[in-house]
Amino acid sequence: DIQLTQSPSSLSASVGDRVTITCRASQGISTYLNWFQQKPGRAPKLLIHSASSLQGGVPSRFSGSGSGTEFTLTISSLQPDDFATYYCLQTHALHSFGQGTKVDI
Amino acid sequence: QVTLRESGPALVKPKQTLTLTCTFSGFSLNTGGMCVNWIRQPPGKALEWLARIDWDDEKYYNTSLTTRLTISKDTSKNQVVLTMTSMDPADTATYYCARDYGAFGDYWGQGILVTVSS
């Protein structure tokens, strides 16, 4: 099974900050990686698919990069609506999620 | 407009079998490339993928839960059903269904909280 490890597990940031979250896969997954945002009591929302493709309707301050085993989600300028938990998901072999990264103030 | 909605019991007893239904609209599981997944999230914990069914009736399961899970579809009713046997308090979670049509999770249901308790 493929394990995904996110870092950090949590971070504190301010509005306007540039935020980077890393997701490492236990084996190569090409670009079969998605990123989700989840707010308390809500279903996850797809932000990025195929490692770097922005899902329709998602603000351009979100971007994704990487391939193989190391991936990043970057928020270029953190907005108040971005305080949430972020998850990566691999779709290369079955599916598995990272443990999440909580972004708070 | 694509929508998905989970339904089923809010409370099950230990050792019982859980049956959840995902009823969807706005797409068809007869469409090539269409898939529906089940995912769960224990309170305060991370998401966990459970199972997937594809338009061609291929089925995939989380390897750690494969002996307990069964996924099926009824395309005439636009429904996907997940059964999980031998429920345990550790299976208490919000259960979600989500579509995959080229991008896993482009649409999700609102989730259903299932509590396992005697």
Side-chain angles (χ1 to χ4, degrees):
Chain A
D1 293 6
I2 297 175
Q3 278 78 49
L4 298 180
T5 303
Q6 289 183 231
S7 59
S9 296
S10 64
L11 65 92
S12 296
S14 301
V15 173
D17 284 353
R18 181 181 181 89
V19 169
T20 299
I21 298 169
T22 297
C23 179
R24 290 188 172 87
S26 59
Q27 63 190 76
I29 58 171
S30 184
T31 57
Y32 292 97
L33 190 103
N34 294 1
W35 288 99
F36 295 87
Q37 176 194 68
Q38 187 181 32
K39 296 181 180 179
R42 304 289 298 275
K45 173 186 175 183
L46 179 63
L47 300 176
I48 303 282
H49 66 87
S50 306
S52 60
S53 296
L54 193 68
Q55 179 69 0
V58 174
S60 59
R61 63 181 179 273
F62 291 94
S63 65
S65 66
S67 67
T69 61
E70 187 152 337
F71 303 84
T72 59
L73 172 70
T74 299
I75 309 171
S76 61
S77 178
L78 198 67
Q79 298 302 300
D81 191 48
D82 302 338
F83 291 96
T85 300
Y86 294 84
Y87 292 94
C88 55
L89 163 81
Q90 66 84 14
T91 60
H92 176 68
L94 298 183
H95 305 300
S96 49
F97 287 92
Q99 83 277 17
T101 296
K102 184 176 181 181
V103 176
D104 59 21
I105 299 173
Chain B
Q1 180 186 2
V2 172
T3 65
L4 302 97
R5 186 184 77 252
E6 304 86 355
S7 60
L11 179 67
V12 298
K13 290 181 167 45
K15 301 182 182 179
Q16 285 188 338
T17 294
L18 171 68
T19 299
L20 294 173
T21 301
C22 176
T23 303
F24 56 87
S25 63
F27 66 95
S28 172
L29 253 180
N30 285 324
T31 300
M34 195 70 71
C35 315
V36 172
N37 293 269
W38 282 96
I39 304 100
R40 71 178 178 180
Q41 185 172 39
K45 296 188 178 180
L47 299 162
E48 179 181 31
W49 174 76
L50 298 177
R52 180 182 114 200
I53 191 164
D54 295 355
W55 79 101
D56 58 0
D57 211 35
E58 285 292 318
K59 300 162 188 175
Y60 304 88
Y61 297 101
N62 183 313
T63 55
S64 64
L65 294 167
T66 188
T67 60
R68 299 175 55 203
L69 296 174
T70 303
I71 193 170
S72 62
K73 63 182 173 71
D74 185 334
T75 52
S76 66
K77 294 182 179 179
N78 281 351
Q79 290 180 336
V80 171
V81 175
L82 180 77
T83 63
M84 180 179 290
T85 61
S86 304
M87 293 293 286
D88 181 88
D91 295 313
T92 294
T94 296
Y95 288 75
Y96 296 99
C97 57
R99 191 184 84 156
D100 179 346
Y101 186 43
F104 183 123
D106 58 350
Y107 290 93
W108 291 66
Q110 64 186 12
I112 181 170
L113 175 61
V114 178
T115 301
V116 184
S117 174
S118 55

